[in-house]
Amino acid sequence: MLDQIHWLAAVTVLGVLEQAYFFLQVIYARRLFGISPPKISGPPEFERIFRAQVNSSEYFPIFLALLWQAGLFFHQGLAAALGLLYLYGRYCYFMGYKASSSER
C-alpha cells in the first residue's frame, strides 16, 4: 500500500510548503508595517495579507482529509491532480486577496 500513496504524499508536502510560504508572507508584512504579534490589525495592506493567510490555513485540514480519502478510496492520480489544482487555485486566491482592490 505504501507504494501507492507517493503522489498523495507529494501533494501533501507541496501543500505544507505553500502554507509555510503564506506564513512567511505574514511575517514579512509584520516586519514591513511594524506590527508585533498578537496584534492583527494595521494598514489595509497588512490586513489583506493576514486575512488571506488565515483563510487559507482554515481550509487546509479539510483539503488534506479530502485529498487522502479520495486518494485511498477512489483514485490516487485523480485525487493528486485535483489536489494540485486546488493548491494552484489557493495560490491565485492568496495573490489576488493580497493585491489592493484597485490592482485586481
Side-chain angles (χ1 to χ4, degrees):
M1 176 151 167
L2 290 177
D3 60 329
Q4 298 175 357
I5 60 171
H6 58 280
W7 290 113
L8 298 176
V11 172
T12 299
V13 169
L14 282 174
V16 169
L17 292 174
E18 182 178 64
Q19 289 297 309
Y21 173 74
F22 295 160
F23 286 126
L24 287 174
Q25 292 300 303
V26 172
I27 291 170
Y28 295 145
R30 282 189 183 279
R31 289 181 184 160
L32 180 65
F33 298 110
I35 299 171
S36 302
K39 290 197 316 188
I40 59 171
S41 61
E45 295 84 6
F46 168 76
E47 289 185 9
R48 283 195 306 270
I49 294 169
F50 179 78
R51 196 65 236 160
Q53 181 268 322
V54 171
N55 288 348
S56 297
S57 65
E58 286 172 345
Y59 287 97
F60 192 64
I62 298 168
F63 162 70
L64 287 180
L66 291 175
L67 172 73
W68 280 88
Q69 295 226 354
L72 293 175
F73 295 112
F74 297 107
H75 191 273
Q76 179 195 181
L78 180 60
L82 291 174
L84 288 174
L85 183 63
Y86 173 82
L87 293 177
Y88 176 72
R90 221 2 117 165
Y91 177 79
C92 291
Y93 167 83
F94 184 87
M95 291 303 168
Y97 205 108
K98 179 180 166 181
S100 71
S101 59
S102 63
E103 295 174 10
R104 290 184 219 160

